[in-house]
Amino acid sequence: MKRVILASTSPRRRDILRNTGINFDVVNPSYDESIQNKSFSYQIIENTAINKGLSVSKTANKYSVIISADTVVIYDNIILGKPKDYDDAIRMLKMLSGKTHKVVTAVCLIDNETGNKTVKSETSEVTFNELTPDMIKEYITAFKPYDKAGSYGIQELSEDFVKEIKGDYDNIVGLPLKLVISMLKEADLL
């Protein structure tokens, strides 16, 4: 089996991939992924996932497969990336309060031996309850979600925050595991 490399700085993605039992290494991608406040298209986030993977493939062993991903929160067709600061996190959570938004993760698989790239995306929906200013401030103070798209981590939210989830929960956390396994199998890498 080829060496598997997860091209990610996200501890959440590492935890999800560990659940597969696959042995893998982690290499931080060197790609600027700032796409916040742009109009959403699958091509934008899929290109980001590809470029993250390519930045790692340049220095990776020839006999490796690189998994990279990009997760974004979409509200009103605008990409909400990682918040710049406390005030930006408040702004985003106020925007999502009482509303339904989408969480999209693009996953890229690169076979470093052949150069073959596969990219697929998963979309889930999250509906928040009405959030009070105190709920928002307490969450940001406790969890400091500055490394999370949309200013939140679903796994940290109390049931007071979330009204409904449609779709893959792991996708909302940051790595749609079923999709990753399917892609690895399709590429005969699992």
Side-chain angles (χ1 to χ4, degrees):
M1 174 148 171
K2 295 186 178 189
R3 177 179 171 221
V4 175
I5 299 172
L6 177 63
S8 180
T9 58
S10 167
R12 294 161 302 280
R13 287 192 182 122
R14 288 180 220 157
D15 291 344
I16 291 170
L17 195 56
R18 273 191 200 104
N19 291 334
T20 64
I22 295 171
N23 289 323
F24 64 95
D25 296 316
V26 177
V27 177
N28 293 341
S30 57
Y31 179 74
D32 176 18
E33 57 179 291
S34 55
I35 55 174
Q36 182 162 322
N37 296 325
K38 291 188 178 181
S39 292
F40 171 73
S41 77
Y42 284 96
Q43 184 178 0
I44 288 174
I45 66 162
E46 288 175 356
N47 284 343
T48 301
I50 290 168
N51 287 320
K52 283 180 174 181
L54 288 174
S55 76
V56 169
S57 75
K58 292 174 187 173
T59 58
N61 180 298
K62 177 180 176 182
Y63 301 104
S64 58
V65 59
I66 295 104
I67 300 169
S68 57
D70 189 43
T71 301
V72 294
V73 169
I74 302 14
Y75 177 70
D76 200 20
N77 208 45
I78 300 296
I79 296 171
L80 302 181
K82 298 171 185 174
K84 292 180 285 211
D85 54 26
Y86 181 83
D87 290 337
D88 199 29
I90 287 176
R91 178 189 66 81
M92 285 187 204
L93 290 175
K94 279 183 178 178
M95 187 184 307
L96 300 175
S97 175
K99 308 277 189 329
T100 299
H101 60 275
K102 293 181 180 179
V103 179
V104 180
T105 302
V107 177
C108 178
L109 204 66
I110 300 173
D111 183 331
N112 224 25
E113 183 178 11
T114 64
N116 289 341
K117 292 185 286 295
T118 307
V119 186
K120 294 188 179 183
S121 295
E122 181 82 29
T123 303
S124 303
E125 287 187 359
V126 179
T127 303
F128 278 178
N129 287 312
E130 290 291 335
L131 308 177
T132 67
D134 284 344
M135 289 170 70
I136 292 171
K137 289 174 186 172
E138 286 170 16
Y139 170 75
I140 294 169
T141 301
F143 292 100
K144 300 178 182 21
Y146 306 116
D147 66 336
K148 297 174 180 78
S151 301
Y152 76 91
I154 192 76
Q155 68 281 3
E156 301 162 347
L157 297 179
S158 69
E159 55 190 48
D160 293 348
F161 264 74
V162 181
K163 182 175 184 177
E164 184 179 22
I165 292 173
K166 291 182 182 175
D168 185 327
Y169 178 83
D170 286 337
N171 178 53
I172 301 166
V173 176
L175 190 68
L177 188 56
K178 291 174 193 161
L179 178 62
V180 171
I181 290 171
S182 165
M183 290 171 72
L184 287 167
K185 286 180 178 176
E186 284 175 19
D188 288 328
L189 297 169
L190 191 67

